[in-house]
Amino acid sequence: MAFPAHRPRRLRSTPALRRLVAETRLHPADLVLPLFVREGVDEPVPLTSMPGVVQHSLTSLRAAAREAVELGVGGLMLFGVPRQRDAVGSGADDPDGILNVALREVRDEVGDAIVVMADLCLDEFTDHGHCGLVADDGTVDNDGTLERYASMALAQADAGAHVVGLSGMMDGQVGHVRAALDDAGRSDVLILAYAAKYASAFYGPFREAVESTLTGDRMTYQQDSGNAIEALREVRLDLDEGADIVMVKPALPYLDIVRAVAEESDVPVAAYQVSGEYAMVEAAAAAGMIDRERAIMESLLAIRRAGASIILTYWAAEVARTL
Ligand code: PBG
């Protein structure tokens, strides 16, 4: 029997060799840590469906932001959990609304040492829980919502957001918000577009994190999980409208989309490893079914390998510490 000329195993024979030939690496600077901040609490509130993740108080938020800087994490994505909600999401563009207050505090804490991003969507601020305004006939009003997003973007820019993360999936949201920011002299603020955002069961634990009141679903604005060509159309529109970064969400169940978007885009591509992806690993690990640390690293590496240059993950600080 002839011995094989090529022996791939030679390249795997020591840890040093495997490190030398690694095609994909993770770096803390590529990671973005999502943080929740809840109005009116003095202590962080743990989340049952996301073990290890909390709703921060303003004080603990500052500490978490400072820690992320020290660990070299690339960015923060802030979500607000307001005390009051109403039909139009007034808290979203109120300078005293929790998310805007939090942005100010975080910028005061970290300056420009880390990229500070804000989720730009109405769902945390509306009493019906939809990402936009709801018309009398019960449909989500696209163009009316764009006005709210523009106002929210200006409030977030004023509060110090380096990047606004448009996650509402309204048509034309990137172009509309870009124009509003530019008209207000804020062409310096970046837009991260949740370009391909699927209507996903994997957002389940997040809904607890922001105490969502949604009763129906988001099928009329978020994408059907089986559609891939549509994702490319969404990305193309967002790029035409001026998106600086495009994102695919969720990540692990949509790696084919991450790859396709990375091939299509000449801007940085982000992927959001969402709450359900986090919760699955944590729950399986807690039940002794999976090696937690290895599963975390493998999932992040897979997302990176698929073509995402930026990864939003609730494990960002923990992983940055080990890298
Ligand atoms: C909308 C928004 C959602 C998430 C991020 N931004 C929820 C949704 O679209 O229903 C989900 C994030 C996660 O599950 O980790 N503001």
Side-chain angles (χ1 to χ4, degrees):
M1 198 178 90
F3 289 108
H6 294 289
R7 288 178 175 269
R9 285 190 58 198
R10 262 199 295 264
L11 291 170
R12 300 176 197 138
S13 53
T14 67
L17 268 166
R18 292 196 293 275
R19 189 180 57 191
L20 180 71
V21 302
E23 296 177 36
T24 309
R25 290 177 212 279
L26 293 170
H27 192 279
D30 303 327
L31 305 177
V32 174
L33 176 64
L35 291 167
F36 302 105
V37 55
R38 176 165 162 183
E39 187 173 6
V41 296
D42 296 326
E43 296 292 328
V45 181
L47 295 166
T48 334
S49 57
M50 297 179 74
V53 177
V54 300
Q55 293 171 328
H56 282 286
S57 67
L58 286 167
T59 309
S60 70
L61 178 73
R62 272 182 179 261
R66 163 66 38 209
E67 185 196 29
V69 170
E70 282 156 12
L71 291 167
V73 170
L76 304 172
M77 174 65 81
L78 268 52
F79 293 91
V81 186
R83 223 175 345 203
Q84 308 278 340
R85 298 165 196 231
D86 61 26
V88 298
S90 304
D93 53 339
D94 179 348
D96 295 324
I98 183 62
L99 180 52
N100 298 320
V101 170
L103 281 166
R104 264 187 214 94
E105 298 234 357
V106 165
R107 278 304 303 282
D108 178 60
E109 185 72 30
V110 303
D112 289 327
I114 191 167
V115 180
V116 178
M117 313 184 182
D119 185 64
L120 200 166
C121 193
L122 286 177
D123 65 320
E124 290 96 359
F125 298 94
T126 52
D127 51 12
H128 45 70
H130 273 295
C131 293
L133 302 177
V134 176
D136 291 340
D137 65 0
T139 59
V140 173
D141 167 15
N142 194 86
D143 296 8
T145 301
L146 297 183
E147 296 306 317
R148 300 288 301 127
Y149 286 178
S151 173
M152 199 175 172
L154 296 181
Q156 293 182 343
D158 276 350
H162 294 115
V163 179
V164 295
L166 279 88
S167 68
M169 288 296 280
M170 295 299 126
D171 292 338
Q173 61 182 11
V174 172
H176 197 83
V177 164
R178 182 72 273 160
L181 286 167
D182 291 351
D183 287 349
R186 296 310 306 270
S187 56
D188 58 313
V189 176
L190 283 83
I191 292 180
L192 178 155
Y194 288 60
K197 178 172 178 180
Y198 287 88
S200 174
F202 294 102
Y203 306 149
F206 174 93
R207 306 257 165 104
E208 181 204 339
V210 299
E211 297 168 23
S212 172
T213 50
L214 184 72
T215 46
D217 59 49
R218 306 201 197 287
M219 294 300 293
T220 70
Y221 42 105
Q222 299 180 347
Q223 289 178 240
D224 254 41
S225 34
N227 292 0
I229 296 166
E230 188 185 12
L232 295 179
R233 191 161 67 237
E234 287 279 3
V235 167
R236 217 156 32 236
L237 286 167
D238 284 354
L239 290 173
D240 288 348
E241 292 175 29
D244 298 289
I245 301 171
V246 290
M247 185 151 77
V248 175
K249 177 181 174 188
L252 214 50
Y254 297 91
L255 292 186
D256 58 326
I257 310 297
V258 173
R259 161 60 55 194
V261 170
E263 280 167 10
E264 179 94 354
S265 314
D266 53 5
V267 300
V269 173
Y272 197 143
Q273 183 178 56
V274 300
S275 56
E277 298 178 67
Y278 174 92
M280 279 195 300
V281 172
E282 292 291 350
M289 294 174 178
I290 202 169
D291 180 330
R292 180 177 177 278
E293 283 72 32
R294 285 188 57 204
I296 292 171
M297 293 308 276
E298 186 175 333
S299 64
L300 290 170
L301 211 55
I303 296 165
R304 192 83 177 77
R305 189 197 63 232
S309 57
I310 300 168
I311 305 175
L312 277 73
T313 173
Y314 298 97
W315 288 304
E318 176 182 336
V319 168
R321 199 174 287 116
T322 69
L323 289 175

